[in-house]
Amino acid sequence: MKIFGWPLGFVMLGCYLLTGNNYALAITVFTLVTKLALLPLSIKQQKEQAKMAVFQPKLKRIQEKYGNNKERYNEEIQKLYTEEGYNPMSGCLPSLIQFPILFGVIDVVYKPIYHIFRVSNAVINEMMEVASAAGHAFEAHSYYNQIKLLKIIQEETELFHSFDQEIIGKIAEFDMTLFGLDLGVVPQFKLFYEGGFNWYLVLPILCGVFQLAMTFYMQKSNPTSQQGGGAMNIMLYTMPLMSVYIGFVVPAAAGFYWTLSAVAQFIQSF
């Protein structure tokens, strides 16, 4: 996550400054930027699907002729793909590339002090030492430490009087909320949270719903999807479940990005 988080941190910072320091809006703009960057690959994916539709009758003839001979059938299919210049796995590439981006986003979300305010790790460690001396506990190697430190700075700003007050002031004013929901919170799978309905359930569910809608749309709109390869089909139906799981194990900000990404992908494909 550090490898992908480092360059994407600069992109997120640019989006944050561009949106007037609005974190939720910065994530929205970041999603659009990444989708535009991946647009050439998505276009290539659509072209590969169209190419397969053109030689679909040839696939059908091979099925009729060699359907009972699995080895010969696979040989003829590979020969056809070579002749037509078609790669059945090329349709998976845009989806697979989403994961390194997601890993980078997760790193950015977990480390707002480093990525958004460009505070060095050495200074962050000094801040954590000050907070620890005041009675706050941090778990060793926990991804959540920076978000916890950020909350402490916001609630007990006076503890950090020895640090750059301009930076401390910006951190103190940093708003991670969206419609009243703290995007730094990791959603929990329970109906009630802090005395009321657990609205954090919405993001992981929306992640799965939009990914599922995307799967159904791709299957319906692409008549050759069943010939796209078993790996492609397995990935399509696994993605909605993975999206729900991801939504429940990372801060809501990452789930918000993943939901927006699914919506943007659906609109782009349409």
Side-chain angles (χ1 to χ4, degrees):
M1 291 195 290
K2 291 181 181 179
I3 294 173
F4 298 111
W6 185 80
L8 292 180
F10 286 101
V11 179
M12 182 68 81
L13 175 59
C15 295
Y16 181 71
L17 297 175
L18 182 66
T19 57
N21 301 347
N22 186 312
Y23 188 61
L25 188 56
I27 294 175
T28 304
V29 173
F30 177 88
T31 305
L32 295 176
V33 169
T34 56
K35 284 300 175 186
L36 286 174
L38 293 175
L39 186 59
L41 283 176
S42 297
I43 292 174
K44 178 177 175 60
Q45 178 187 30
Q46 300 261 12
K47 286 183 176 181
E48 290 295 315
Q49 291 175 350
K51 184 188 295 183
M52 190 169 191
V54 171
F55 63 81
Q56 186 67 18
K58 296 181 181 180
L59 283 173
K60 188 175 181 180
R61 286 196 294 270
I62 292 175
Q63 172 69 36
E64 293 173 349
K65 190 173 182 179
Y66 303 107
N68 295 326
N69 187 337
K70 187 175 181 180
E71 184 177 349
R72 182 63 185 276
Y73 171 78
N74 289 331
E75 289 177 357
E76 292 297 325
I77 288 293
Q78 289 302 319
K79 182 180 178 181
L80 178 62
Y81 286 167
T82 301
E83 292 174 351
E84 298 290 343
Y86 174 76
N87 181 1
M89 293 302 295
S90 62
C92 301
L93 187 59
S95 297
L96 292 176
I97 290 180
Q98 284 293 332
F99 285 100
I101 295 177
L102 176 62
F103 295 151
V105 169
I106 291 173
D107 190 71
V108 172
V109 168
Y110 270 122
K111 301 175 181 176
I113 299 177
Y114 176 78
H115 289 292
I116 301 297
F117 302 104
R118 312 312 300 178
V119 178
S120 69
N121 286 321
V123 174
I124 291 172
N125 288 333
E126 291 176 9
M127 291 179 174
M128 289 174 62
E129 290 176 2
V130 169
S132 297
H136 297 282
F138 296 91
E139 296 181 15
H141 309 296
S142 171
Y143 282 110
Y144 205 74
N145 282 340
Q146 278 198 38
I147 294 179
K148 184 175 183 178
L149 176 61
L150 184 143
K151 301 298 181 184
I152 295 171
I153 293 174
Q154 293 179 334
E155 295 171 0
E156 302 178 48
T157 308
E158 67 281 355
L159 287 177
F160 305 90
H161 59 85
S162 61
F163 297 92
D164 186 330
Q165 290 304 293
E166 182 180 356
I167 295 296
I168 295 298
K170 290 180 179 179
I171 295 174
E173 296 174 356
F174 185 55
D175 184 9
M176 291 187 75
T177 61
L178 173 68
F179 302 126
L181 296 179
D182 186 352
L183 294 178
V185 171
V186 177
Q188 300 180 36
F189 190 72
K190 56 184 181 181
L191 193 58
F192 298 98
Y193 180 78
E194 295 185 344
F197 177 75
N198 184 14
W199 289 101
Y200 291 99
L201 283 173
V202 174
L203 281 176
I205 292 173
L206 284 179
C207 284
V209 167
F210 283 114
Q211 286 290 346
L212 189 62
M214 183 68 189
T215 296
F216 284 140
Y217 176 75
M218 290 180 68
Q219 292 290 322
K220 183 178 179 180
S221 62
N222 178 19
T224 67
S225 59
Q226 296 303 319
Q227 285 76 36
M232 179 67 173
N233 292 324
I234 290 173
M235 187 179 68
L236 284 174
Y237 287 110
T238 302
M239 283 293 288
L241 294 176
M242 288 189 61
S243 297
V244 174
Y245 171 75
I246 290 170
F248 278 114
V249 297
V250 297
F256 179 53
Y257 158 77
W258 198 234
T259 302
L260 290 176
S261 181
V263 174
Q265 184 64 41
F266 183 89
I267 295 172
Q268 176 181 288
S269 297
F270 181 79

